Every structure is written in C-alpha cells, then in structure tokens.
Amino acid sequence: MDKKVYVDNAATTPVLPEVAEEIERVMTGVWGNPSGLYSRGQEAKETLEDARRRIAVCLGCLPEELYFTSCGSESDNWAIKGTALAKSKKGKHIIVSSYEHHAVLHSVRALAKQGYDITYVKPRHDGIVYPEDVEKEIRADTVLICVMAANNEIGSINPIKEIASAAHAHGVVFFSDGVQAAGHIPVDLHDLGVDMFSFSGHKFNAPKGVGGLYIKKGAVVRNLIDGGAQERGKRAGTENVPYIVGMAKALEIAVARLDDNERVAKMRDRLAAGLSEIGYSRINGGMEHRLPGNLNMSFEFVEGESLLLLSDAAGICLSTGSACSSASLEPSHVLLSIGVPVEIAHGSLRFSLSHENTEEDVDYILEKMPGIVARLRDMSPLYDARRM
Ligand code: PLP
C-alpha cells in the first residue's frame, strides 16, 4: 500500500476515535433541546454545562466566561466587531498585528469601511510581535488590540501576557486569536490576562464547525448573532451539544498530551535540519518561541504550489501557507510581514506535525523532498540562469 504522511495539522486534524464515540453517544442519546424545560431538555442542558466546565478547566477560566460558536472565524468576528460596536463612543482606533488570520484581518477591514482607523503592527524578523511595538501605537481613541497567541503559518508564539498588560495599562481591551494555541501549548487565560480568546475544535481533534470565545467576566461585547436566549443571551442558536461535548473531550486529551510536545518538537527539528541541507532553502521565522509541530521553509527557484502537488503525489499532505490562502496564488501575507522577499515567499511550504506523526514519517519526508525540489529546479529557468 502507498505511504501517506499527513503533516497539515495546522489546517485541520482528524477526529479521534474516543471523541467520535462521545459525539455518537450524545447525538443519539442526549438529543433534547438544551433550552427545553422538560427532563429531556434539562438532561441536554446539564450535558452542555458539563462540557463548558471541562473546557474551562483546560483553559484556566470560569465556565460562565465561555461561549460556544460555530468556528474560530465566528469567534474572531464576534470579538472584534462586538467590541468595536460596544466601544464606539470611546473611539474608533484598532491596533492589529499584520500577520493575523484573515478572520481577523477581514473583520477589521470591514470595520475600516465603517469609519474605524486601523493600525497594523508588524512582527519582527523572528516572527514575534513585540509588546513595545504594540504599545507605542496606542492612542487616546484606541479601543481594541488584537494579537494572535500563535501564528498559523510560521508557528510563532507571542508574548500575550505582556501585550495584555501593556493594553490594560492604557485601558484598552485586548483580544487574542487562540485558534492555533488552544490544545497545543499550555493556556491559562486568567494568568494571561486577555479579555477575549478564540478557539476552534477542529484544530485539536474535534470536528469542524464548533468553536468558542472566552469573554472575561465584565467585558462588554455586543452580540454578533441575535435571536433566542442561548448562551446567556449573547449568542443565539440552538447549541450543537454533541460537537461541544466532543470538543471538551478532545481538549482534555490534547491538554493531557502536552507532555509529548518535546517529542514532536524534536521530530520537527530533525526535519528542519534535514531539509536545510537542500541548497537555497531557508527556515521562515525563529525557532525559539514556536509551536512544537510547526516548520515553515522556503525553497528558492520553485513554486510552493508545484511543491505541494508533487508532495501530494508522493503521499505527503502539507500546505503552502494557511488553508484559506492555499487556493490563491498570492504570496503569503505572513511571510511578507516578516520580511521574506516575494519571490522566496512563493516557494514556501508549511509542515505541521502532530502527536500522531512518527520518526518514520520524518524519514519519509526527508527521503522524498530533496528529489521533488531538484526535479522542479531542473525545470526552472530561474535556477538555470543562476548557474550561468
Ligand atoms: N484563526 C487562526 C489562527 C486559524 O489558523 C484559523 C484556521 O485556520 C482560524 C482562525 C479560523 O478557524 P475556523 O476554521 O474554525 O473558522
């Protein structure tokens, strides 16, 4: 049988069998509407609240600070648009890092069309957003700062606690997109001091289509989805109880597996060292504060899309950037943000390993990738020109 190696875990992860079992149990057995006042409804309500308590334990917050949503994108939109609307009397200035996920960048872009003023702060070459770079942009009319906890393309882990305290020193609300962080690195929301934090089940072995938003007690955020009184009147729509329970189970498993991060990081480092032996290659972003499974590399004189297709033919599933930008031929805004030249950004690949990956997977990638790069370079006029 042909070998398959899946190293695109930042795009999505498989649902674990234990998670699927839990979902099936709730889907078929606890199918009442949690808003129902009769016993079948109350049983669903209790199951829902139990999941909320379990997730709160994993993230270091109170259950009543968690609101369930349909995905990370919804949570990001809600945090940003909901805060901007709630604070519009105070001011209309928002600070955002320039390498956020499009769910964040396009949310602030939508606000810009309504008269909000947006300041984009660049990460430095190591891929980190520095608190002082953010703090110096704060103005009297700044109402919101958004900096992601971990970047989805280059895996950089930001000093969120320090950025939160810089924001608070000036009375500004701080939101962090935690979609790539939750379940992957330790997260203690009360210790971090953020006002809002988004997460998404499918990034840590729960199904797609379920996520959440942490809103610190006392933070004022307008509703994004109006309707019934679900989620304490803040997010209408009958809750997806089976998937929420699955997300709780998956997050518990993910948090219990954080001890295995060191092994994943070692595999990642071996992959980085091996691939760095390919000429004209470079690692994008610093290696120090980085998600354990993330490696982003550029191979000069080749296109990321061609690399992706030949890798796929060899059974290796990976990405040229974030899943959302993989359908476009635009160079990654993340790589451009950290100063990678356009032509080099075009030839980049993201490997995102998980606990399911093995040393054999790394061996296999190291065996296949040099040949794939060489084959494409042999067809590249730019590579030929360099040799002349
Ligand atoms: N934020 C980040 C950092 C992400 O990586 C993603 C997904 O790739 C999202 C938000 C969007 O999450 P979802 O796919 O659940 O909408």
Side-chain angles (χ1 to χ4, degrees):
M1 211 177 76
D2 289 344
K3 184 156 173 74
K4 282 268 179 223
V5 173
Y6 183 78
V7 281
D8 201 17
N9 291 280
T12 199
T13 54
V15 176
L16 292 176
E18 309 88 298
V19 173
E21 262 170 43
E22 191 93 340
I23 291 170
E24 164 85 21
R25 180 184 65 77
V26 176
M27 201 172 260
T28 53
V30 194
W31 48 263
N33 187 325
S35 301
L37 297 178
Y38 38 81
S39 53
R40 192 171 277 289
Q42 287 307 296
E43 175 194 30
K45 173 86 179 153
E46 186 36 52
T47 303
L48 174 69
E49 294 314 321
D50 179 58
R52 201 187 309 273
R53 282 191 289 272
R54 290 159 64 192
I55 294 176
V57 169
C58 292
L59 296 179
C61 64
L62 299 171
E64 58 268 31
E65 293 174 313
L66 290 175
Y67 299 87
F68 294 119
T69 65
S70 65
C71 60
S73 299
E74 182 192 327
S75 303
D76 288 352
N77 272 262
W78 183 15
I80 294 166
K81 294 173 182 171
T83 303
L85 276 180
K87 300 269 170 193
S88 63
K89 281 210 178 86
K90 182 193 166 199
K92 291 192 163 189
H93 178 232
I94 296 172
I95 300 172
V96 62
S97 88
S98 58
Y99 72 163
E100 295 285 314
H101 189 271
H102 284 134
V104 169
L105 290 179
H106 292 178
S107 291
V108 296
R109 195 201 279 174
L111 289 170
K113 286 191 185 135
Q114 294 171 37
Y116 285 78
D117 190 12
I118 316 296
T119 297
Y120 295 90
V121 174
K122 278 192 174 186
R124 296 195 194 167
H125 289 300
D126 57 3
I128 303 293
V129 178
Y130 282 72
E132 56 270 37
D133 296 347
V134 176
E135 192 167 11
K136 69 172 191 274
E137 301 297 343
I138 298 177
R139 313 188 313 213
D141 61 341
T142 307
V143 287
L144 175 66
I145 294 175
C146 313
V147 178
M148 66 206 311
N151 183 271
N152 46 307
E153 290 190 37
I154 54 173
S156 13
I157 299 171
N158 283 316
I160 289 311
K161 188 172 176 169
E162 290 73 17
I163 301 174
S165 79
H168 293 156
H170 298 266
V172 178
V173 174
F174 179 61
F175 162 60
S176 187
D177 174 335
V179 169
Q180 293 289 338
H184 294 275
I185 52 173
V187 170
D188 182 334
L189 291 170
H190 283 177
D191 180 57
L192 288 174
V194 298
D195 297 299
M196 294 171 290
F197 182 91
S198 56
F199 54 97
S200 176
H202 75 106
K203 306 294 184 179
F204 51 83
N205 302 105
K208 291 149 206 48
V210 64
L213 181 65
Y214 159 80
I215 304 179
K216 190 164 81 181
K217 221 174 174 178
V220 184
V221 186
R222 286 268 186 91
N223 290 5
L224 185 70
I225 298 184
D226 293 310
Q230 292 90 357
E231 298 295 291
R232 284 151 283 137
K234 282 193 183 290
R235 196 276 187 183
T238 304
E239 294 92 344
N240 188 343
V241 183
Y243 276 26
I244 290 168
V245 171
M247 182 162 70
K249 177 81 181 170
L251 191 56
E252 285 174 343
I253 295 171
V255 168
R257 282 204 303 202
L258 289 176
D259 285 349
D260 188 40
N261 274 1
E262 215 173 298
R263 181 186 69 86
V264 176
K266 274 197 185 131
M267 283 194 292
R268 185 267 321 268
D269 291 346
R270 190 162 76 82
L271 185 61
L275 293 178
S276 295
E277 284 178 19
I278 298 175
Y280 300 98
S281 63
R282 61 187 266 176
I283 296 171
N284 298 314
M287 293 304 283
E288 200 184 343
H289 302 288
R290 192 170 189 126
L291 290 173
N294 176 285
L295 175 66
N296 189 307
M297 288 192 67
S298 292
F299 303 94
E300 287 184 56
F301 314 111
V302 288
E303 289 291 325
E305 289 69 26
S306 318
L307 284 168
L308 187 145
L309 292 176
L310 289 195
S311 301
D312 186 37
I316 305 167
C317 303
L318 39 66
S319 173
T320 54
S322 72
C324 314
S325 72
S326 62
S328 100
L329 291 181
E330 289 290 303
S332 147
H333 70 285
V334 173
L335 297 181
L336 298 185
S337 276
I338 59 165
V340 177
V342 177
E343 63 285 3
I344 296 182
H346 267 301
S348 72
L349 288 180
R350 176 186 68 184
F351 303 84
S352 45
L353 284 73
S354 77
H355 302 285
E356 319 290 320
N357 288 117
T358 61
E359 295 290 347
E360 289 70 41
D361 292 342
V362 175
D363 291 339
Y364 186 75
I365 300 171
L366 289 177
E367 178 197 321
K368 294 287 172 190
M369 205 48 77
I372 291 173
V373 174
R375 212 174 124 194
L376 290 170
R377 282 184 178 164
D378 279 347
M379 294 187 273
S380 159
L382 288 172
Y383 192 60
D384 262 2
R386 183 205 52 89
R387 282 193 287 205
M388 287 203 281

